[in-house]
């Protein structure tokens, strides 16, 4: 048995459950995107812009983990489809931010709401103290996963 295999045998089962949630989340995003004729990066871009608000194409690309030129291509394609709009800064006309359109918000709501309702139903089965523990655990996991973030 090699060193990595031996280390894996000592990993807490909850760690593997978190890994499974991450994988299920990726799969869910891909299925939701496919259901509306998008790819996962496109739907993720809409979700990021809905959550964080307008941002520059470079920042959006960083958050998506894609190159600047790929982000520009994504923004161009989604702007042409009517999902994103470029807006110039009021203070610096050279700066351009990308924002979602009402059409994109409607699509995001349509694909996310069924999942949110199901997740909420599961959360509601927990007691108040269990919810507090889960929220704390997830916040700490999120913090660990965000370490090293460049934005």
């Amino acid at each position: 048995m090699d060193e990595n295999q031996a280390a894996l045998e000592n990993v807490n089962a909850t760690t593997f459950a978190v890994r499974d949630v991450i994988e299920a989340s990726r799969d869910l995003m891909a299925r939701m995107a496919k259901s509306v004729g998008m790819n996962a990066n496109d739907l993720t871009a809409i979700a990021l812009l809905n959550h964080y608000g307008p941002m520059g194409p470079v920042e959006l690309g960083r958050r998506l983990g894609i190159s600047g030129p790929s982000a520009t291509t994504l923004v161009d394609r989604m702007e042409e489809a009517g999902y994103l709009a470029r807006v110039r800064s009021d203070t610096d006309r050279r700066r351009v931010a990308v924002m979602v359109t009402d059409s994109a918000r409607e699509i995001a709501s349509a694909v996310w709401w069924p999942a949110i309702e199901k997740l909420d139903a599961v959360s509601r089965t927990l007691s108040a103290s269990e919810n507090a523990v889960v929220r704390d655990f997830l916040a700490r996991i999120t913090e660990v996963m965000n370490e090293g973030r460049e934005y």
Side-chain angles (χ1 to χ4, degrees):
M1 180 180 314
D2 71 3
E3 188 176 309
N4 289 334
Q5 186 63 33
L8 278 175
E9 290 181 7
N10 292 319
V11 173
N12 187 291
T14 302
T15 303
F16 290 117
V18 169
R19 178 208 53 199
D20 294 345
V21 167
I22 293 166
E23 183 56 35
S25 175
R26 285 186 191 129
D27 182 62
L28 175 62
M29 181 63 82
R31 286 183 285 126
M32 288 188 310
K34 186 177 180 181
S35 76
V36 292
M38 292 183 184
N39 65 50
N41 268 352
D42 292 354
L43 191 58
T44 301
I46 292 170
L48 288 169
L49 291 165
N50 270 332
H51 185 72
Y52 295 105
M55 64 183 77
V58 171
E59 181 182 357
L60 180 61
R62 271 194 227 115
R63 288 181 181 270
L64 290 169
I66 61 177
S67 69
S70 293
T72 299
T73 300
L74 178 145
V75 170
D76 288 345
R77 182 180 68 253
M78 293 188 70
E79 184 177 38
E80 187 174 316
Y83 300 131
L84 301 181
R86 285 182 169 96
V87 292
R88 294 221 175 265
S89 167
D90 292 336
T91 57
D92 182 351
R93 300 296 292 164
R94 296 169 296 176
R95 293 188 53 96
V96 173
V98 180
M99 60 184 288
V100 294
T101 63
D102 289 341
S103 173
R105 276 189 202 88
E106 289 172 17
I107 287 171
S109 179
V111 297
W112 275 106
W113 193 246
I116 289 169
E117 287 180 316
K118 290 176 184 175
L119 292 170
D120 189 56
V122 172
S123 295
R124 289 177 183 276
T125 67
L126 303 175
S127 69
S129 62
E130 289 170 327
N131 264 294
V133 169
V134 170
R135 278 193 314 275
D136 176 66
F137 174 76
L138 292 174
R140 290 187 287 146
I141 292 294
T142 300
E143 188 176 309
V144 167
M145 292 177 68
N146 283 333
E147 286 177 6
R149 220 178 200 185
E150 294 181 12
Y151 43 85

